[in-house]
C-alpha cells in the first residue's frame, strides 16, 4: 500500500528531485575555499527547500573530493547527488558511491550505499532487487547500529507484501524501540515507523492496535507539521472505519486523505488505495460513481506498474460491471490488466517467499541455532563443572560424616569403658581408670635432682592438697600454691614434674577430671546439670576449657560420658 511513503521517510528522509550531472560543472569562486563541512551543512539546510542550491553544494563536494583524491568525500558527494535525483541517475550515483566504498573497504559506506539502492528498487516495485540490495547491506552493517535496524525495518516491509504481519510488526517494533532509546521520537523516521505499525495492524485486522498508532502518528505529524504523514494516517483511519462497517465515517475520512494526497502530489500508490476503498463503499451502496474511482485506481497501477494484493480486488468489480452492461471491449481490457497485475504479484510473491526464506530467515535461524548450541554447550560445560564440584563436595561431606560417625562411635566406646571402671572415694587411690597412657596418674620418679627432705615435704603438702580437694579452686595456680608451700614457683614446678611425672597444668587437670568423673558416677543429680555447671563444680571457668581437658584426659566428651552413665543406669 504505502510502500513509497515509508521509504521516503526512512533513511535520512530523502526527497527525490531532478539532478544535473557533474559533467561540465565548475566550482563557484565563492565556494572554492570552503571546507567540506562548510559545504555539507548548507546542503542539508537546502535539501528540501532549494534543490538547485543544494545541487551546487553536492557537486562542489564531489569535485573537491576528486581534486583532493579524498575517497570518503567522493562517496559523500555521490550520495548527496543521489538524494537529489529521482530518475535513473539516482541509481548511477549509488553505483559510483558503492564502487568508491569498495575501494576504501569501508563497511559503513557499503552498508548505506546498498541500503539506499534497496530503497530505490523498493520504490519502483522491483522487490527482488530490493531484497538483494538490503541483504547485501546487512552483511556490511554493524549489529545494533541505526543502519542495521533500518535494514531489518526494510525487510519487514517486504514481509508485509507476503502478509507475514506478525514478523513485520516485530521488526517495526524493534526499530521503534531503537529510535526511542536514542531519543528520536521527533524524527520523520519515527513517524514513518508508527505509520508502518498502524497500517500493518490494520492489515492484520487488529483495529484497536492500529487506531492506537494512528492517534500517536497524527499527534507526532502535527507537531512536525508533516502533511504527507497526516494524509497517510487518515488513510489508515479510513480503512479501519471501513473494516468496522462505519461506512459514513470511512467515506468522509478517505475523501479527506485523497484530497490531501492529490493537492500535494503525495505518493500515488496511497492515492490508489484511498480511491479503491472509496470505490468499494460506493459500489456496496449502489452508487454509480464507484466506476470513476476504480478507473482512477487502474490508471495509477498501469502508470506506476506498482500494485498490492488489495488493489488487485478492484479488477473483478470492473470486469463484472462491464460484463453486466455488455461492454466486451472494456471487459477484455480489464481482464488483460488483471492478468498483468497477477503476473507482477505472483512474480514478486514467489520470489520474495523463496529468497527471504533462503537468504534472510534461514540464516537467522541458523545463527539462532548456533547461539542455542553454544548456549547449551556452555550450560553443559557449566553443568559438568557443577556436577563435578557437587560430587567433590558430596564426597567431602561423606568423608566428614564418616569421620564424625567414627569419632562419635569412639567417644561412645570410651565413655562406656569409663563408666565400667571401679569407683574409688579416695582420689589418691584412683590409679586404674582408663585414662590416656601419656597422662596416666603414675608416680614414676625421674632421676632426683632435689634434696630428699624437701621433696618428701612437698610430696606431703601435695597429698594434703589433693585430699582436701583444693584443686577445685578456680583461682589456684603455681604462684599461689608455691607461696602456700613456702617455696618458689620454679622449685614447686620441678617438684611436681619429679613427683607426678607431668607439668603443673597437666597435674591440675588430671586431678579435676578424675574428681568429676568419680562425682558423676556417684551423684545422679550432677548428671542432670549443664556442662557449664559441671565445669564450674570441677574448678573450670568455662565449659570449653573443661570439655577440652576432659577430652584430652579420657578420649571422649562429658556429654557422651553422662549419656553412657544414664543408659547403664537404666
Amino acid at each position: 500500500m504505502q510502500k513509497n511513503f515509508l521509504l521516503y521517510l526512512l533513511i535520512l528522509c530523502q526527497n527525490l528531485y531532478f539532478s544535473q550531472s557533474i559533467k561540465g560543472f565548475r566550482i563557484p569562486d565563492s565556494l572554492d575555499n570552503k571546507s567540506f563541512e562548510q559545504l555539507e551543512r548548507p546542503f542539508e539546510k537546502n535539501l528540501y527547500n532549494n534543490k538547485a542550491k543544494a545541487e551546487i553544494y553536492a557537486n562542489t563536494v564531489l569535485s573537491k573530493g576528486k581534486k583532493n583524491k579524498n575517497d570518503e568525500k567522493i562517496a559523500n558527494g555521490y550520495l548527496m547527488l543521489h538524494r537529489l535525483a529521482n530518475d535513473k541517475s539516482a541509481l548511477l550515483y549509488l553505483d559510483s558511491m558503492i564502487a568508491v566504498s569498495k575501494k576504501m573497504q569501508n563497511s559503513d559506506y557499503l552498508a548505506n550505499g546498498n541500503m539506499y539502492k534497496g530503497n530505490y528498487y523498493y520504490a519502483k516495485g522491483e522487490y527482488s532487487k530490493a531484497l538483494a540490495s538490503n541483504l547485501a547491506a546487512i552483511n556490511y552493517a554493524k549489529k545494533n547500529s541505526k543502519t542495521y535496524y533500518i535494514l531489518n525495518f526494510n525487510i519487514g516491509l517486504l514481509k508485509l507484501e507476503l502478509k507475514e504481519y506478525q514478523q513485520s510488526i516485530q521488526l517495526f517494533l524493534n526499530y521503534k524501540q531503537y529510535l526511542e532509546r536514542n531519543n528520536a521520537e521527533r524524527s520523520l523516521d519515527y513517524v514513518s515507523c508508527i505509520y508502518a505499525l498502524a497500517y500493518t495492524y490494520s492489515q492484520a485486522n487488529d483495529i484497536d492496535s492500529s487506531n492506537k498508532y494512528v492517534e500517536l502518528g497524527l499527534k507526532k505529524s502535527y507537531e512536525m507539521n508533516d502533511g504527507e504523514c497526516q494524509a497517510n494516517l487518515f488513510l489508515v483511519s479510513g480503512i479501519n472505519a471501513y473494516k468496522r462497517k462505519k461506512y459514513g465515517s470511512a467515506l468522509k475520512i478517505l475523501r479527506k486523505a485523497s484530497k490531501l494526497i492529490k493537492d500535494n502530489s503525495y505518493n500515488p500508490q496511497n492515492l490508489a488505495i484511498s480511491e479503491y476503498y472509496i470505490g468499494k463503499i460506493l459500489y456496496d451502496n449502489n452508487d454509480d460513481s464507484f466506476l470513476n474511482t476504480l478507473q482512477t485506481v487502474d490508471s495509477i497501477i498501469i502508470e506506476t506498474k506498482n500494485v498490492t494484493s488489495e488493489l488487485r480486488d478492484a479488477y473483478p468489480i470492473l470486469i463484472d460491471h462491464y460484463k453486466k452492461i455488455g461492454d466486451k471491449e472494456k471487459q477484455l481490457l480489464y481482464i488483460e490488466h488483471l492478468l498483468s497485475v497477477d503476473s507482477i504479484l505472483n512474480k514478486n510473491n514467489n520470489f520474495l517467499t523463496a529468497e527471504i526464506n533462503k537468504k534472510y530467515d534461514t540464516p537467522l535461524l541458523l545463527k539462532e541455532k548456533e547461539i542455542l548450541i553454544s548456549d547449551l554447550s556452555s550450560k553443559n560445560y557449566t553443568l559438568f563443572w557443577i556436577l563435578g564440584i557437587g560430587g567433590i563436595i558430596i564426597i567431602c561431606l561423606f568423608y566428614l560424616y564418616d569421620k564424625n560417625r567414627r569419632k562419635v562411635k569412639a567417644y561412645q566406646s570410651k565413655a562406656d569403658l569409663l563408666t565400667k571402671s571401679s569407683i574409688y572415694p579416695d582420689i589418691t587411690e584412683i590409679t586404674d581408670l582408663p585414662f590416656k597412657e601419656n597422662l596416666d596418674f603414675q608416680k614414676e620418679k625421674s632421676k632426683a635432682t632435689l634434696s630428699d627432705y624437701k621433696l618428701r615435704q612437698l610430696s606431703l603438702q601435695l597429698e594434703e592438697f589433693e585430699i582436701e580437694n583444693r584443686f577445685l579452686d578456680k583461682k589456684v595456680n603455681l604462684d599461689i600454691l608455691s607461696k602456700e608451700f613456702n617455696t618458689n614457683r620454679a622449685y614447686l614446678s620441678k617438684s611436681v614434674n619429679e613427683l607426678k611425672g607431668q607439668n603443673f597444668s597437666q597435674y591440675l587437670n588430671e586431678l579435676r577430671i578424675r574428681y568429676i568423673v568419680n562425682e558423676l558416677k556417684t551423684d545422679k543429680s550432677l548428671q542432670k546439670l549443664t556442662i557449664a555447671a559441671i565445669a564450674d563444680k570441677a574448678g573450670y571457668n568455662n565449659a570449653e576449657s573443661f570439655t577440652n581437658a576432659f577430652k584430652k584426659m579420657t578420649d571422649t566428651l562429658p556429654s557422651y560420658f553422662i549419656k553412657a552413665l544414664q543408659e547403664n543406669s537404666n
Side-chain angles (χ1 to χ4, degrees):
M1 164 189 164
Q2 73 295 28
K3 294 174 272 191
N4 294 345
F5 166 72
L6 290 174
L7 287 171
Y8 293 156
L9 294 187
L10 271 173
I11 307 87
L12 305 178
C13 313
Q14 67 179 33
N15 278 358
L16 303 180
Y17 298 103
F18 289 99
S19 172
Q20 69 180 31
S21 168
I22 192 175
K23 186 177 180 180
F25 174 78
R26 181 179 174 276
I27 299 175
D29 293 339
S30 60
L31 301 180
D32 195 30
N33 293 321
K34 298 283 186 183
S35 67
F36 285 109
E37 184 181 355
Q38 290 172 323
L39 295 169
E40 290 165 351
R41 202 179 321 123
F43 167 81
E44 295 291 341
K45 185 177 179 181
N46 288 281
L47 178 60
Y48 306 116
N49 304 319
N50 190 334
K51 67 180 182 65
K53 186 178 285 188
E55 190 173 51
I56 292 172
Y57 287 115
N59 277 318
T60 301
V61 169
L62 180 58
S63 297
K64 287 175 72 72
K66 289 184 175 182
K67 182 179 178 181
N68 297 330
K69 296 182 179 179
N70 187 327
D71 289 335
E72 184 176 330
K73 296 306 176 182
I74 293 172
N76 284 345
Y78 283 127
L79 183 58
M80 292 161 75
L81 288 169
H82 157 74
R83 295 173 67 190
L84 288 163
N86 74 338
D87 54 12
K88 289 185 178 180
S89 62
L91 197 57
L92 295 175
Y93 289 138
L94 286 177
D95 286 336
S96 297
M97 177 202 172
I98 291 170
V100 176
S101 301
K102 286 181 178 177
K103 180 183 174 184
M104 290 192 293
Q105 294 185 341
N106 189 310
S107 58
D108 290 335
Y109 277 75
L110 285 167
N112 285 324
N114 282 286
M115 177 176 66
Y116 279 109
K117 199 170 180 180
N119 293 345
Y120 173 86
Y121 285 127
Y122 184 87
K124 299 294 183 183
E126 298 182 43
Y127 299 138
S128 60
K129 293 180 179 179
L131 178 62
S133 295
N134 277 295
L135 292 175
I138 286 176
N139 290 331
Y140 293 112
K142 293 175 182 175
K143 192 171 183 181
N144 296 324
S145 64
K146 183 179 181 181
T147 302
Y148 175 83
Y149 280 100
I150 291 174
L151 288 167
N152 280 280
F153 181 96
N154 290 347
I155 296 295
L157 295 177
L158 293 169
K159 284 182 171 289
L160 185 57
E161 296 298 325
L162 299 174
K163 300 184 180 180
E164 295 178 1
Y165 301 128
Q166 294 308 315
Q167 293 181 41
S168 296
I169 287 168
Q170 189 55 58
L171 291 169
F172 297 158
L173 286 173
N174 290 344
Y175 185 44
K176 173 178 173 286
Q177 290 162 4
Y178 168 82
L179 292 171
E180 289 170 347
R181 287 197 303 271
N182 289 274
N183 301 315
E185 290 150 287
R186 289 184 59 83
S187 67
L188 289 176
D189 283 357
Y190 187 75
V191 180
S192 166
C193 187
I194 297 302
Y195 171 38
L197 284 164
Y199 174 69
T200 309
Y201 274 116
S202 176
Q203 291 296 294
N205 292 319
D206 185 348
I207 306 303
D208 289 337
S209 296
S210 178
N211 282 335
K212 181 186 77 172
Y213 282 107
V214 167
E215 184 179 349
L216 175 61
L218 285 172
K219 179 183 176 182
K220 294 291 181 183
S221 63
Y222 281 128
E223 289 175 0
M224 299 176 66
N225 195 28
D226 187 285
E228 185 170 5
C229 189
Q230 292 168 27
N232 291 313
L233 286 164
F234 281 134
L235 172 58
V236 177
S237 179
I239 294 171
N240 290 344
Y242 171 81
K243 289 187 173 185
R244 284 185 165 166
K245 298 183 179 180
K246 298 178 179 180
Y247 299 125
S249 297
L251 195 59
K252 183 179 179 181
I253 298 169
L254 289 167
R255 279 177 170 162
K256 182 178 181 179
S258 285
K259 187 175 188 306
L260 283 170
I261 296 170
K262 287 176 184 177
D263 291 348
N264 296 280
S265 301
Y266 294 149
N267 183 5
Q269 189 184 53
N270 279 3
L271 176 61
I273 293 290
S274 181
E275 291 297 299
Y276 164 72
Y277 278 102
I278 292 171
K280 283 272 289 182
I281 295 170
L282 295 173
Y283 177 77
D284 292 341
N285 287 276
N286 298 315
D287 187 329
D288 290 340
S289 59
F290 83 89
L291 197 57
N292 290 332
T293 56
L294 294 187
Q295 285 174 339
T296 299
V297 172
D298 172 65
S299 63
I300 293 171
I301 292 172
I302 296 305
E303 182 181 351
T304 62
K305 304 297 182 186
N306 204 346
V307 67
T308 65
S309 57
E310 60 188 331
L311 289 179
R312 177 199 182 278
D313 294 340
Y315 290 103
I317 296 174
L318 289 170
I319 292 167
D320 184 63
H321 170 75
Y322 285 112
K323 183 179 181 180
K324 286 179 180 178
I325 64 174
D327 189 336
K328 293 183 179 181
E329 289 185 4
K330 288 288 182 70
Q331 187 180 349
L332 180 60
L333 173 68
Y334 289 116
I335 287 174
E336 289 175 350
H337 286 184
L338 177 58
L339 290 172
S340 176
V341 164
D342 281 343
S343 176
I344 294 171
L345 288 174
N346 288 335
K347 180 181 176 182
N348 284 335
N349 289 350
N350 290 338
F351 177 85
L352 285 177
T353 301
E355 291 298 298
I356 284 185
N357 178 61
K358 178 182 176 182
K359 296 181 180 178
Y360 181 79
D361 293 333
T362 300
L364 280 181
L365 286 172
L366 290 173
K367 190 171 183 180
E368 186 176 353
K369 177 184 174 183
E370 289 176 5
I371 292 171
L372 287 171
I373 291 172
S374 176
D375 186 46
L376 286 172
S377 297
S378 176
K379 286 181 178 178
N380 289 338
Y381 183 75
T382 304
L383 182 61
F384 171 79
W385 276 105
I386 290 173
L387 290 174
I389 293 169
I392 292 170
I393 291 172
I394 290 171
I395 292 170
C396 290
L397 289 174
F398 181 79
Y399 170 76
L400 292 173
Y401 167 77
D402 186 64
K403 183 178 179 182
N404 186 64
R405 185 179 62 82
R406 290 173 182 271
K407 187 183 290 186
V408 168
K409 193 172 181 181
Y411 286 160
Q412 291 171 338
S413 176
K414 291 286 185 179
D416 189 55
L417 183 62
L418 194 58
T419 62
K420 294 174 182 177
S421 60
S422 302
I423 299 173
Y424 298 94
D426 187 350
I427 190 66
T428 60
E429 297 179 15
I430 302 176
T431 59
D432 61 346
L433 293 179
F435 286 74
K436 294 176 73 174
E437 291 181 5
N438 62 324
L439 295 175
D440 194 25
F441 191 66
Q442 298 180 19
K443 297 184 175 109
E444 294 181 4
K445 295 182 181 179
S446 59
K447 186 176 180 180
T449 57
L450 301 171
S451 67
D452 289 341
Y453 172 77
K454 188 63 178 175
L455 205 56
R456 283 196 300 273
Q457 184 183 12
L458 284 174
S459 178
L460 291 171
Q461 288 175 311
L462 287 174
E463 186 175 341
E464 184 181 355
F465 171 75
E466 294 170 6
I467 293 170
E468 293 176 357
N469 293 337
R470 289 168 58 200
F471 52 81
L472 297 176
D473 184 356
K474 296 178 185 177
K475 295 180 181 178
V476 70
N477 57 34
L478 198 58
D479 290 323
I480 292 173
L481 203 58
S482 63
K483 288 178 182 178
E484 288 185 14
F485 290 176
N486 196 25
T487 185
N488 62 52
R489 187 179 189 280
Y491 200 91
L492 178 59
S493 175
K494 198 164 188 179
S495 298
V496 170
N497 277 323
E498 294 209 15
L499 292 169
K500 306 299 180 181
Q502 54 195 163
N503 63 39
F504 182 78
S505 177
Q506 292 170 335
Y507 166 65
L508 196 61
N509 278 327
E510 184 169 351
L511 290 173
R512 288 171 174 174
I513 297 305
R514 285 184 180 276
Y515 169 81
I516 203 65
V517 165
N518 192 60
E519 287 297 301
L520 285 168
K521 286 181 177 182
T522 58
D523 187 356
K524 290 186 178 180
S525 63
L526 192 63
Q527 298 172 12
K528 297 177 182 179
L529 299 179
T530 62
I531 299 299
I534 296 171
D536 184 70
K537 287 187 176 293
Y540 289 93
N541 290 314
N542 55 67
E544 184 180 2
S545 56
F546 166 63
T547 301
N548 289 336
F550 195 97
K551 179 184 174 185
K552 192 171 184 180
M553 294 290 294
T554 67
D555 269 343
T556 189
L557 300 177
S559 57
Y560 285 94
F561 176 56
I562 294 169
K563 185 178 179 182
L565 287 171
Q566 292 170 343
E567 288 176 353
N568 289 341
S569 175
N570 291 335

